[in-house]
Amino acid sequence: MTDKILISISAGWHAVQVAVGTPVSPPTLPAQILDQIPDQIPAQVPGTIASALRAAGQFEYGKDNFDEVDVWFFCDLDLPENAAFLHFEGLATHVEVYWNDGLILRSENMFIAHSLDLAALAISGKGRLSLRFLAMNTQLAQRRPRPRWKTRLLEQQQLRWMRTSLLGRMPGWSPPVAPVGPYRPILLELQSPVRITNKNISSSIDGADAVLNIELTVQSQQAVSACAINIGEHEFILDCEQLDENLYCIQGQCKIDEVKKWWPHTHGDAALYALELHVSCATQQWIFDLGHTGFRQIRVDQHDGDFNLHVNNVSLFCRGACWTPLDIISLQNESTDLRQMLTLARDAGMNMLRVVGTMVYETTAFYKLCDELGILVWQDCMFANMDYPVSDEAFAASITNEVQQFLQRTQSSPCIAIVCGNSEVEQQAAMLGQPAELWRNAFFAETLPALSEQYRPDVQYWPSSPSGGVMPFQLDTGVAHYFGVGAYLRPLDDARRSAVRFTSECLGFSNMPDDDLIDSMLNNGETPGPHPAWKQGVPRDNGTGWDFEDVRDHYMAELYKVNPASLRYAERERYLSLARTTTGEIMAKTIAEWRRSGSTCHGALIWFWRDLRPGAGWGIVDAHGKPKAAYYYLKRAMAALTVLITDEGLNGLCLHVINDGPQAFEGELELNLYRQSETRVAHGRIAVQVAAHSAIKVQDYALLPHFVDTNYAYRFGPAGHDVVEAALHDSEQIIANDFHFPQAHQCAVQADVGLRAHCSLNADGNHILHLSTKKLVQAVSIQIPGMLPEDNYFHMAPGSSRQVRLAAIHGKSVKVGQVQAQNALTGVRVVLEISTTTVVN
């Protein structure tokens, strides 16, 4: 026999919004709906009222304020005779649950799961399950003690009492879609003779060996005679102690010699071990799938203000993004979409994602996929920017239960590296001039680290993001949120001057999506800019007189020496092209600065992964799941094996060869200087060796036969070249390259740069795009509807060629596309053969 049987109660639901105070109660709910409230709609569970309205074709951003109304979800059930428990995985937020006319549950925390014993509640047979979500504004209107300081993130300060997501309630950057409804599954558990009622699993590394500690509480109708656990191919006998008539404690310490360690994908294999529990009773054996686990050691070096994460005693440069829900309307992660997004993150060289305290704890599937794909997780607890009333006894008990449940739910996931108390609570208090003793309360200073130590002793606890300096937002100590290059319009060299140690939030830009998304928002030919429909998708800080498109245009002017406003008026396509590459270039150069040899920085997480709604949001992936230009620039800058160029002023250019992988690299490093985007005027090539998990720095002079002012720092007369290329070769091909433009970043647009393109099919039936160029081409954009290129928006050196693999998106059949270089007047038409192409779901 196997694990307990769970049935998802997902079908047959309906939902309705009613005005606060409307006399609707479970006994009269059917009549009220049929006679007086005709606006009932079918509903998907798990889901929200917003997702139900969307499915019914009735949703529009800003049309409904779900915090102003009571929302009912209800369905009719015929419970089987062996129904035992009813599980609610997440209810947003203040909710009353009824079976027929009886109240069976009241919850005020959307982050807590509830399990109801049906026999104890005398629930059986046919009936109506009804969920009444009380209007949040009614709860907020209740008189409660005021905070010691007020956040600028939110308009309603009393949200500090509400254990709900801040999504939909943060003016400026979060769409006005408050999550209301059963956003996590509702499950029916059937009776089982053997049932696990509590589980604690922890792992540790001891040299080359690993230890798994397991402690379970098992309820059994028959006497338990023996217990064992399989960890991968290893079997261990467990101790079994009878606690009560039908209750047993099963525990053991299992040691695995020469264990395969779990690594982030940039540094090794994400080795996982399946966990399978065997419980033998008098007449039969029960098998329980306990998921999987991985064995790794997490350590953070904090010497002298540092924040340097080590995995298995290897220092990591953590890079990635702040994760955003795939669908803010439903808060669901469809399995295919989730795998696609996390695979995109992995393929971009990202080895860490941050789940931010303004959003929601992610689904179990999210953490399992991060385990599988080798992606570390920085996990905020769901607290942000507010003075939380942790001294209130009921509130403290609720949030303690919330965090305990999360830690237990994910305790065997090796992906979680950091558990962080909150987002910007310390920073907000400090920036408002509060004394240091008010920055951090006892819950974040004592309770949370104790819970973390109890349930996840293998992870690092950090009290707040940011935190660590004399001021919590100090950049050169501890963990920072860095927006010097970005919102504060600092020059690019500020990234080095600020001496950032680790930035868990950085480089927030209004990233321009591709034309297909723009066309879905605006009428044909309308230009993004001040258009009202467009501005709704552009993030801004609450209360400011500027938004993040202004930030992007500032850097566009600096980088390309153009007037963005004039371009937007007169040259729409050129403006859009430069807007896309501006943020990509800025982000890539900043990441290169932080990854260089000698940098003080050990991690950078982009703000953020995916747009919450269509538009030019902070996301490097658009709201439909398509990578933007910035994604590809970061993909090259974050690669595990790469070469990056940094400008060292009068010291010339440095070439940084980085090898994060587990194997040493031997190859060649090449340096090329070109004039007028075509003629090579200097060249050098040397052999290089880079040990595993390390990097080397090579001075440009080491590759050239004589002095050349590579970065045009000395300025002895006119520049002798206008572009520099560094290329890293293995024995067969160029595996990475980087470009530096000593003067104006943008080369003049030419009628013909010699760019050629055609497509072929490989032996697997996949499309391969073949590109070649006579002259330098910048930001080569591959736009083939229905196709996802492996790389995009890249530069190509004069006389070079390359191949780009294409994958079909959602199985669309396409025939024609275009390849366009930013410095070319016209694009190149590409015709594809129809085939059974690899599909990206």
Side-chain angles (χ1 to χ4, degrees):
M1 300 293 290
T2 57
D3 199 353
K4 61 187 178 186
I5 300 175
L6 295 174
I7 300 173
S8 176
I9 304 177
S10 57
W13 287 90
H14 286 77
V16 66
Q17 301 180 72
V18 299
V20 174
T22 301
V24 177
S25 60
T28 62
L29 188 58
Q32 289 284 348
I33 289 174
L34 292 174
D35 299 335
Q36 300 178 29
I37 309 176
D39 297 328
Q40 62 166 306
I41 54 175
Q44 302 76 40
V45 174
T48 64
I49 183 61
S51 62
L53 288 169
R54 180 177 61 183
Q58 300 177 26
F59 175 78
E60 182 180 327
Y61 284 110
K63 175 184 175 183
D64 297 283
N65 185 342
F66 304 119
D67 284 341
E68 291 183 345
V69 294
D70 285 354
V71 174
W72 286 84
F73 279 73
F74 55 94
C75 74
D76 295 320
L77 298 175
D78 186 1
L79 300 176
E81 292 184 1
N82 59 343
F85 293 90
L86 192 58
H87 302 287
F88 299 91
E89 300 290 294
L91 302 168
T93 293
H94 284 247
V95 61
E96 298 169 347
V97 180
Y98 297 88
W99 176 255
N100 294 324
D101 60 350
L103 179 68
I104 59 174
L105 173 67
R106 182 179 283 114
S107 175
E108 298 182 352
N109 188 331
M110 74 176 281
F111 305 122
I112 287 180
H114 301 273
S115 294
L116 302 183
D117 187 329
L118 297 180
L121 293 170
I123 293 175
S124 62
K126 295 182 179 180
R128 168 159 288 186
L129 182 63
S130 305
L131 286 63
R132 178 194 180 196
F133 295 90
L134 284 70
M136 180 63 71
N137 287 352
T138 302
Q139 310 304 312
L140 293 171
Q142 298 178 17
R143 294 183 62 85
R144 294 183 176 89
R146 294 180 178 180
R148 295 169 296 178
W149 44 269
K150 295 183 178 181
T151 178
R152 294 174 181 172
L153 180 72
L154 303 165
E155 294 177 346
Q156 176 50 264
Q157 300 297 317
Q158 293 295 356
L159 276 168
R160 73 195 188 102
W161 289 89
M162 307 294 131
R163 292 311 300 143
T164 191
S165 174
L166 299 185
L167 286 171
R169 301 179 173 107
M170 296 174 287
W173 63 267
S174 176
V177 189
V180 176
Y183 77 107
R184 292 290 183 256
I186 298 175
L187 303 169
L188 184 66
E189 181 183 343
L190 304 184
Q191 292 175 356
S192 174
V194 179
R195 182 172 185 265
I196 297 176
T197 61
N198 192 42
K199 177 176 66 174
N200 278 304
I201 298 174
S202 64
S203 62
S204 60
I205 291 283
D206 182 14
D209 306 328
V211 175
L212 184 79
N213 290 296
I214 183 167
E215 183 176 349
L216 307 171
T217 303
V218 171
Q219 199 173 47
S220 178
Q221 297 175 8
Q222 299 179 356
V224 176
S225 58
C227 293
I229 188 170
N230 291 344
I231 306 175
E233 298 177 351
H234 307 274
E235 183 180 24
F236 298 91
I237 304 300
L238 302 176
D239 296 329
C240 182
E241 177 186 359
Q242 187 167 3
L243 303 176
D244 204 344
E245 182 179 358
N246 297 318
L247 206 61
Y248 296 83
C249 176
I250 298 172
Q251 58 185 345
Q253 187 177 76
C254 312
K255 184 178 179 181
I256 302 175
D257 298 333
E258 299 294 329
V259 72
K260 294 179 181 178
K261 295 180 180 178
W262 185 93
W263 290 90
H265 73 93
T266 50
H267 287 67
D269 294 329
L272 294 172
Y273 287 79
L275 303 178
E276 190 176 81
L277 178 71
H278 294 251
V279 178
S280 299
C281 298
T283 59
Q284 61 189 134
Q285 185 181 77
W286 294 80
I287 301 174
F288 295 86
D289 180 1
L290 302 183
H292 61 242
T293 195
F295 298 94
R296 86 286 180 270
Q297 183 185 61
I298 298 292
R299 175 174 62 85
V300 175
D301 182 359
Q302 300 178 43
H303 176 71
D304 195 25
D306 211 349
F307 191 95
N308 185 359
L309 181 70
H310 291 69
V311 176
N312 302 327
N313 291 318
V314 172
S315 173
L316 262 68
F317 182 86
C318 301
R319 65 273 194 180
C322 295
W323 179 255
T324 41
L326 300 190
D327 180 11
I328 191 176
I329 294 173
S330 69
L331 292 183
Q332 301 309 298
N333 290 335
E334 297 295 336
S335 59
T336 53
D337 293 340
L338 182 61
R339 179 172 288 277
Q340 180 192 1
M341 286 297 99
L342 290 175
T343 301
L344 276 176
R346 180 204 61 190
D347 291 349
M350 296 185 176
N351 58 18
M352 177 176 276
L353 296 170
R354 176 180 169 216
V355 179
V356 186
T358 52
M359 303 192 190
V360 292
Y361 299 102
E362 267 299 339
T363 61
T364 299
F366 169 84
Y367 300 102
K368 286 184 176 180
L369 273 173
C370 287
D371 291 341
E372 175 190 330
L373 297 174
I375 301 174
L376 294 164
V377 173
W378 174 298
Q379 176 68 54
D380 285 0
C381 298
M382 292 301 118
F383 304 92
N385 296 77
M386 292 186 285
D387 178 27
Y388 289 95
V390 299
S391 59
D392 180 88
E393 186 174 345
F395 186 87
S398 178
I399 58 178
T400 299
N401 186 18
E402 164 193 325
V403 176
Q404 177 181 329
Q405 282 192 6
F406 170 76
L407 293 175
Q408 283 195 290
R409 173 166 68 94
T410 59
Q411 64 183 175
S412 46
S413 282
C415 67
I416 299 178
I418 307 291
V419 171
C420 181
N422 62 73
S423 172
E424 294 190 346
V425 170
E426 293 186 15
Q427 171 179 290
Q428 186 81 91
M431 282 190 163
L432 291 173
Q434 297 300 308
E437 58 267 22
L438 297 186
W439 298 350
R440 187 183 304 171
N441 59 44
F443 183 74
F444 300 122
E446 300 169 10
T447 305
L448 274 184
L451 286 172
S452 182
E453 177 62 28
Q454 180 179 356
Y455 295 104
R456 288 306 303 258
D458 60 316
V459 307
Q460 173 72 44
Y461 175 77
W462 193 252
S464 186
S465 177
S467 182
V470 175
M471 285 289 175
F473 46 86
Q474 185 174 337
L475 299 177
D476 61 356
T477 305
V479 173
H481 288 183
Y482 177 79
F483 296 99
V485 175
Y488 304 130
L489 308 183
R490 300 291 295 170
L492 295 189
D493 63 3
D494 185 75
R496 181 179 300 197
R497 184 182 301 116
S498 296
V500 175
R501 301 301 184 95
F502 191 107
T503 172
S504 54
E505 188 174 306
C506 66
L507 300 177
F509 287 97
S510 174
N511 292 303
M512 185 68 71
D514 284 345
D515 284 343
D516 51 357
L517 188 134
I518 295 173
D519 293 342
S520 72
M521 297 179 63
L522 303 176
N523 293 325
N524 186 34
E526 289 184 336
T527 301
H531 193 290
W534 178 258
K535 280 300 184 183
Q536 291 178 356
V538 175
R540 60 177 175 84
D541 284 340
N542 193 27
T544 61
W546 53 271
D547 64 26
F548 280 80
E549 282 204 314
D550 298 321
V551 173
R552 185 191 66 226
D553 285 357
H554 166 84
Y555 285 100
M556 184 193 300
E558 292 290 315
L559 190 66
Y560 293 116
K561 310 304 179 188
V562 297
N563 185 325
S566 297
L567 278 180
R568 191 169 66 240
Y569 298 153
E571 299 181 63
R572 176 184 188 270
E573 296 308 318
R574 184 162 173 76
Y575 171 78
L576 293 178
S577 176
L578 295 183
R580 292 183 182 109
T581 59
T582 291
T583 58
E585 293 280 0
I586 297 294
M587 288 184 183
K589 288 302 180 186
T590 305
I591 293 296
E593 175 60 47
W594 286 333
R595 289 191 76 188
R596 66 179 173 86
S597 300
S599 170
T600 61
C601 187
H602 301 292
L605 306 179
I606 305 298
W607 181 257
F608 43 53
W609 168 250
R610 178 171 169 165
D611 287 345
L612 296 175
R613 66 180 298 171
W618 282 316
I620 61 172
V621 173
D622 71 25
H624 296 165
K626 182 180 179 181
K628 301 181 189 179
Y631 167 90
Y632 292 102
Y633 279 89
L634 288 167
K635 181 177 182 178
R636 294 186 288 271
M638 292 181 173
L641 177 59
T642 192
V643 59
L644 302 171
I645 301 174
T646 59
D647 188 337
E648 303 298 325
L650 294 180
N651 286 322
L653 298 177
C654 275
L655 315 182
H656 305 269
V657 183
I658 301 170
N659 177 27
D660 284 342
Q663 305 297 326
F665 172 77
E666 293 187 10
E668 293 185 315
L669 180 62
E670 183 179 21
L671 184 66
N672 296 304
L673 280 62
Y674 297 96
R675 181 169 56 228
Q676 297 180 342
S677 303
E678 183 175 8
T679 304
R680 188 165 73 178
V681 296
H683 164 74
R685 186 162 173 161
I686 62 172
V688 291
Q689 294 182 342
V690 189
H693 308 318
S694 66
I696 62 170
K697 178 175 69 174
V698 181
Q699 188 68 41
D700 55 359
Y701 305 140
L703 285 90
L704 300 175
H706 54 77
F707 169 73
V708 179
D709 191 3
T710 54
N711 58 344
Y712 198 46
Y714 289 93
R715 299 181 183 273
F716 295 152
H721 59 279
D722 48 34
V723 62
V724 179
E725 179 203 20
L728 188 64
H729 300 255
D730 63 10
S731 59
E732 299 179 353
Q733 61 186 347
I734 293 178
I735 56 176
N737 61 356
D738 196 17
F739 290 81
H740 177 76
F741 299 88
Q743 298 185 84
H745 198 87
Q746 177 70 10
C747 295
V749 177
Q750 302 177 51
D752 184 11
V753 293
L755 178 62
R756 301 291 181 264
H758 72 276
C759 219
S760 68
L761 294 174
N762 65 11
D764 297 325
N766 295 314
H767 286 291
I768 304 297
L769 180 64
H770 302 263
L771 299 169
S772 63
T773 183
K774 179 181 177 182
K775 300 180 181 180
L776 170 80
V777 288
Q778 291 182 276
V780 175
S781 172
I782 303 168
Q783 299 299 328
I784 305 175
M787 285 290 179
L788 182 69
E790 188 176 32
D791 198 7
N792 211 348
Y793 295 97
F794 48 81
H795 308 319
M796 291 179 64
S800 66
S801 62
R802 65 175 299 177
Q803 297 179 4
V804 179
R805 182 179 177 273
L806 306 174
I809 303 173
H810 304 307
K812 295 180 181 178
S813 295
V814 295
K815 293 183 179 180
V816 180
Q818 179 169 282
V819 176
Q820 176 72 57
Q822 195 172 69
N823 61 326
L825 191 61
T826 59
V828 181
R829 186 171 182 265
V830 179
V831 178
L832 279 69
E833 300 178 36
I834 301 300
S835 71
T836 53
T837 310
T838 299
V839 175
V840 179
N841 292 316

